[in-house]
Amino acid sequence: MRDQNRRIYKIALSGNPNCGKTSIFNALAGTHQHVGNYPGVTVEKRTSRINWGEQAVELIDLPGTYSLSVLTLDEKVARDFILREEPDAVINVVDSGNLERNLFLTTQLLEMGVDVVIDLNMWDEAEKSGLEIDVEKLSELTGAPVVKTIGHRRSGIDQLIKATLDLLNDKQPGHHHPPVTYGQLIDDRLVDLARLLGESGCNRLPSRWYAVSLLDETTTIAEMDCLHPNSKEQVDAKLQEAKEHIGKTTNQALTEVINDGRYGFVNGLLKAVMKKGAGDRMAISRRIDNVLTHRLLGFPIFLAFIWLLFQATFAIGDYPVQWIDAGIGLLQQLIATHLPAGLIADLLSEGIIGGVGSVMVFLPNILILFLGIAILEDSGYMSRAAFIMDRLMRAIGLQGKAFIPMLMGFGCNVPAIMATRTLESSRQRILTVILIPFMSCAARLPVFILFAAAFFAGNAGNIIFLMYIIGVIIAILIGRILRLVLFKGEEVAFVMELPPYRLPTARAALIHMWERGQVYLKKMGGVILVASVILWFLGAFPKVDEYSQAFQTQIAELEVGTIPGGEERIAQLEAQMALEDVQHSFIGRLGDWIEPVGQPLGFTWQMDISLISGFIAKEVVVSSMGVIYQLGDEVTEESSSLIAALHDPINGITPLTAFGFMLFVLLYTPCITVVVAIRREIGVRWMWVSLALQLTVAWIAAFLVYQMGTLFGLG
């Protein structure tokens, strides 16, 4: 499979979830990482082009999978990439302390005939448990170089690079993958079928692999383009004969027979190369789990962790937020002082700085949230969260495993929707995708922080925490209703591996935080900047040709000096004229048109406009307000803060209205990128069902909050 003429070697990383593959990729790639999608699918891939000495290589991080049996979409993506892209080598990252589970994937890679480097990662944990592995013997029996690493410490990375380069340059002596044996009974049939497949044109990969793929039904004859058309009937007859013979003699399903054979091969390897120690690396984790996953205490502890995370997000982030806010205000004042009044100054101050700055000010809060999520993931606690939520998720026909994508939705709904590809059931995938947008993504956080700071200053952290909890509760309630109406079916059993707890490293946590924070920063320089400029234009034009008669009369009186307190009165008139400017503009007319929709919810027309712009990206809700509430205003130290502008009684927003608005932002239609992801994952029909459901639920929830609150005198 190796093309010696390539100048850039293509190397794929493959491994089970929780094997430390991400740490290895980060150690190998450093900062030279790019995120995109695999061709034709929305599964995210990370790549890196770097130099190892004089050799240029391209690293591709494949989705974490337990096998290549195409039961899930992630497995299919990983398998198809190896088949179609033909990487020069595959670094198979293996959890040293869980070889039996991890080497199952290794056997499939060996069968495919790819050049494999086995990376025994987390070697420190294996040593602590007293595990001994004969690395040379393992390399001899698998025909693959074997390297020991500790990914999060970068230990063994140089040896891993050297072993991979030696393999690529044909310096690995005796490199040959022995066949995986399934017992004499099956092997005889495999040999016959493989010989026929090889003679029929299927020899780009080992013909034995094609035979195994047909037997375990991960591929079909119709999908095998390599087969000569005249040979298909003969191959099909031989395949049916083999299936019938194996089924009669083993009394088992073919997939079970093949999997038993692979596990038998793995167990034979382990008996030859591994000696278990007296230690147990899971002992400490089990003792911790006795508390953290306790039947009664587990859920309250989980809520406490999330509550602390949002308290820290607001409390710690408040200081840099104030510094950035002050800096933005100072920048606006400098523009107002040094540039002549006019369109250019207004565009810079109100449009660009007012819009982008309103979102940028909350960057510290976003980064702290991402850092907290990264720590929970790297420690192994996120798997426990899914385990804790399993009982609750069963009420809506989902397994606890489905809660992992929903938790990922707290960061961004797009990768969370992609993560549903790990779910085996299409019914569960569709239901989970519909529920994920009810999880409050990081893009909504600036809206929550803005309104919480303006109207609930003493309890801002608690209010933000409440928003996230409401999102989870409503998702579960909606899921329950959908299960009864649209997704009737049996519950799926939940079996999930719980990795050992690990102490997160600062480097890994900061890398994960920065990867997610980059997306937020790119939005500021792209979609938010463009949206802010467009909104400023819509709010600045057309200009009022002639102000109302009342203004003209008062201005005339001021000019002749007949009204006392002239300067103060002039400032008031200028503010009223600015309001008339905005109401006459395109954005003001749009606000008048949609105001009846938001009026029963207590929303102002400015809030309505920002909600419409939020369909582009939820951060644009804040930037929209940053533009709208500064249109025509003279920039001063007091007026530069959007929080102060919202809190000003003149704008007619009360704490009740603010809470209803936050609830609407939490629940209503997601941004356009999420909509595209939904369409690609579950189709156009379910996309429209999802959008209609979210918009309806959001409007009803905000309506009930405002009307009930007003009824009880809370407005």
Side-chain angles (χ1 to χ4, degrees):
M1 294 180 64
R2 190 185 308 136
D3 181 359
Q4 296 290 352
N5 295 323
R6 285 184 181 174
R7 297 183 59 188
I8 301 177
Y9 284 125
K10 186 180 295 184
I11 301 172
L13 269 70
S14 179
N16 288 189
N18 303 312
C19 70
K21 180 166 62 69
T22 300
S23 297
I24 294 296
F25 182 83
N26 289 337
L28 291 172
T31 58
H32 307 282
Q33 303 181 25
H34 306 279
V35 178
N37 290 331
Y38 290 96
V41 293
T42 56
V43 175
E44 186 179 274
K45 73 169 179 178
R46 293 194 305 164
T47 61
S48 175
R49 285 200 175 186
I50 52 176
N51 292 320
W52 288 350
E54 297 180 358
Q55 181 61 60
V57 300
E58 179 183 10
L59 291 174
I60 302 96
D61 188 13
L62 298 179
T65 60
Y66 291 109
S67 76
L68 299 176
S69 301
V70 298
L71 292 176
T72 68
L73 291 174
D74 273 352
E75 291 178 355
K76 187 176 187 306
V77 166
R79 181 175 178 268
D80 288 351
F81 180 87
I82 294 173
L83 289 177
R84 295 171 184 171
E85 299 296 325
E86 300 185 37
D88 298 284
V90 174
I91 297 177
N92 178 210
V93 184
V94 171
D95 179 356
S96 302
N98 195 4
L99 288 181
E100 183 176 7
R101 180 68 173 267
N102 282 242
L103 288 178
F104 184 87
L105 174 62
T106 308
T107 64
Q108 293 179 305
L109 293 170
L110 297 177
E111 284 182 309
M112 294 179 76
V114 298
D115 287 341
V116 177
V117 178
I118 299 176
D119 173 13
L120 296 179
N121 194 29
M122 305 180 187
W123 186 253
D124 54 336
E125 294 183 7
E127 285 186 319
K128 286 179 183 177
S129 62
L131 197 67
E132 296 180 12
I133 300 174
D134 188 336
V135 173
E136 293 182 1
K137 187 71 172 177
L138 180 60
S139 177
E140 178 186 340
L141 294 176
T142 58
V146 180
V147 181
K148 299 179 290 187
T149 63
I150 307 172
H152 66 280
R153 296 182 187 170
R154 298 179 58 83
S155 174
I157 297 300
D158 291 339
Q159 291 86 340
L160 179 61
I161 293 173
K162 182 180 184 303
T164 306
L165 289 176
D166 286 348
L167 179 64
L168 293 171
N169 296 318
D170 290 323
K171 294 180 180 179
Q172 181 66 27
H175 176 64
H176 173 70
H177 299 325
V180 177
T181 59
Y182 295 92
Q184 192 64 41
L185 180 67
I186 298 175
D187 281 348
D188 287 345
R189 301 290 169 170
L190 272 177
V191 169
D192 291 343
L193 184 58
R195 183 185 300 113
L196 179 58
L197 286 165
E199 293 171 353
S200 303
C202 291
N203 46 32
R204 183 173 61 86
L205 296 178
S207 56
R208 185 182 176 90
W209 177 82
Y210 290 108
V212 173
S213 298
L214 287 173
L215 283 175
D216 71 2
E217 299 177 347
T218 56
T219 190
T220 64
I221 291 177
E223 294 171 338
M224 298 181 69
D225 299 332
C226 56
L227 269 180
H228 193 278
N230 297 333
S231 305
K232 289 190 176 182
E233 289 187 8
Q234 187 181 1
V235 171
D236 187 49
K238 179 67 72 174
L239 175 63
Q240 297 308 320
E241 178 189 336
K243 284 183 175 181
E244 184 178 350
H245 177 77
I246 295 171
K248 284 181 178 179
T249 53
T250 63
N251 199 29
Q252 285 182 282
L254 277 170
T255 53
E256 292 179 5
V257 174
I258 297 297
N259 287 340
D260 287 347
R262 285 172 177 150
Y263 275 118
F265 179 81
V266 170
N267 288 329
L269 276 178
L270 296 182
K271 285 181 181 179
V273 304
M274 186 176 73
K275 181 179 179 181
K276 291 187 177 180
D280 181 0
R281 71 169 187 160
M282 290 297 294
I284 296 177
S285 295
R286 278 194 289 270
R287 286 198 290 270
I288 297 174
D289 279 339
N290 288 338
V291 178
L292 296 188
T293 62
H294 189 272
R295 184 178 180 85
L296 298 178
L297 299 177
F299 189 68
I301 291 173
F302 169 65
L303 290 180
F305 280 143
I306 301 299
W307 179 81
L308 286 172
L309 175 59
F310 288 113
Q311 289 294 328
T313 296
F314 193 85
I316 299 175
D318 188 48
Y319 297 101
V321 163
Q322 292 181 22
W323 303 333
I324 296 174
D325 193 26
I328 291 171
L330 178 61
L331 186 57
Q332 287 179 311
Q333 290 181 55
L334 288 173
I335 290 174
T337 303
H338 294 90
L339 285 181
L343 287 178
I344 299 299
D346 290 346
L347 172 61
L348 290 174
S349 179
E350 299 168 1
I352 296 176
I353 299 175
V356 177
S358 298
V359 181
M360 184 181 292
V361 73
F362 299 114
L363 179 62
N365 304 103
I366 299 293
L367 293 179
I368 292 170
L369 175 65
F370 286 157
L371 180 62
I373 292 175
I375 291 172
L376 291 177
E377 288 176 344
D378 292 351
S379 68
Y381 183 72
M382 281 302 193
S383 298
R384 274 74 183 180
F387 181 80
I388 292 166
M389 292 297 295
D390 180 52
R391 196 187 319 162
L392 195 57
M393 298 296 284
R394 284 178 183 272
I396 59 176
L398 293 174
Q399 52 181 267
K401 185 178 178 181
F403 192 65
I404 293 293
M406 294 174 72
L407 273 177
M408 290 176 63
F410 285 165
C412 179
N413 288 170
V414 174
I417 288 170
M418 294 177 187
T420 60
R421 288 173 170 257
T422 61
L423 302 177
E424 294 84 357
S425 165
S426 60
R427 180 180 66 87
Q428 292 219 347
R429 285 191 63 244
I430 293 171
L431 181 55
T432 307
V433 168
I434 290 175
L435 298 182
I436 283 174
F438 290 109
M439 301 293 103
S440 181
C441 65
R444 294 176 171 100
L445 186 59
V447 183
F448 298 158
I449 295 173
L450 173 65
F451 278 84
F455 297 96
F456 308 99
N459 292 289
N462 293 330
I463 292 294
I464 295 171
F465 171 70
L466 181 61
M467 283 293 127
Y468 279 76
I469 296 302
I470 289 174
V472 175
I473 292 173
I474 289 182
I476 291 173
L477 292 175
I478 296 297
R480 180 66 177 171
I481 295 170
L482 290 177
R483 187 201 172 198
L484 295 174
V485 176
L486 298 176
F487 298 98
K488 296 179 181 179
E490 295 181 359
E491 295 180 1
V492 180
F494 175 50
V495 179
M496 183 175 181
E497 178 186 2
L498 295 180
Y501 286 102
R502 300 183 179 94
L503 187 65
T505 63
R507 183 178 182 274
L510 290 172
I511 286 176
H512 295 158
M513 177 195 75
W514 180 243
E515 285 176 348
R516 291 164 174 156
Q518 278 183 309
V519 177
Y520 188 79
L521 286 170
K522 286 177 182 177
K523 281 186 179 180
M524 280 191 255
V527 63
I528 294 173
L529 174 61
V530 173
S532 298
V533 172
I534 292 173
L535 283 166
W536 171 83
F537 176 83
L538 294 176
F541 298 97
K543 295 291 187 181
V544 175
D545 294 328
E546 187 174 346
Y547 292 100
S548 63
Q549 185 62 41
F551 285 153
Q552 294 182 41
T553 303
Q554 292 181 48
I555 290 171
E557 292 174 347
L558 284 170
E559 288 175 348
V560 297
T562 57
I563 296 180
E567 291 184 1
E568 183 179 349
R569 186 59 183 152
I570 288 174
Q572 293 174 355
L573 283 173
E574 287 176 345
Q576 291 175 326
M577 290 167 67
L579 180 60
E580 194 165 315
D581 275 331
V582 174
Q583 290 173 336
H584 182 73
S585 68
F586 294 121
I587 207 168
R589 296 172 188 179
L590 179 60
D592 289 339
W593 182 68
I594 64 173
E595 192 171 15
V597 179
Q599 200 166 31
L601 315 180
F603 297 170
T604 64
W605 68 267
Q606 294 98 327
M607 298 165 82
D608 296 334
I609 292 292
S610 66
L611 288 172
I612 292 177
S613 65
F615 181 72
I616 302 170
K618 289 297 173 282
E619 298 96 336
V620 180
V621 172
V622 175
S623 66
S624 300
M625 290 187 166
V627 174
I628 293 171
Y629 281 101
Q630 293 188 64
L631 286 171
D633 285 351
E634 181 183 352
V635 177
T636 65
E637 186 175 353
E638 292 76 17
S639 69
S640 63
S641 173
L642 180 54
I643 292 175
L646 291 175
H647 191 65
D648 192 333
I650 195 173
N651 288 312
I653 304 176
T654 66
L656 179 64
T657 308
F659 188 86
F661 185 79
M662 295 167 70
L663 191 60
F664 193 95
V665 170
L666 168 70
L667 302 173
Y668 88 115
T669 310
C671 66
I672 189 66
T673 53
V674 176
V675 174
V676 171
I678 293 173
R679 181 183 63 81
R680 289 183 178 177
E681 295 298 326
I682 60 176
V684 174
R685 181 168 67 95
W686 288 113
M687 178 197 76
W688 287 114
V689 170
S690 176
L691 296 182
L693 178 66
Q694 291 151 22
L695 195 57
T696 302
V697 170
W699 196 92
I700 292 174
F703 176 83
L704 291 176
V705 165
Y706 180 71
Q707 296 297 334
M708 295 296 290
T710 302
L711 182 64
F712 289 101
L714 300 177

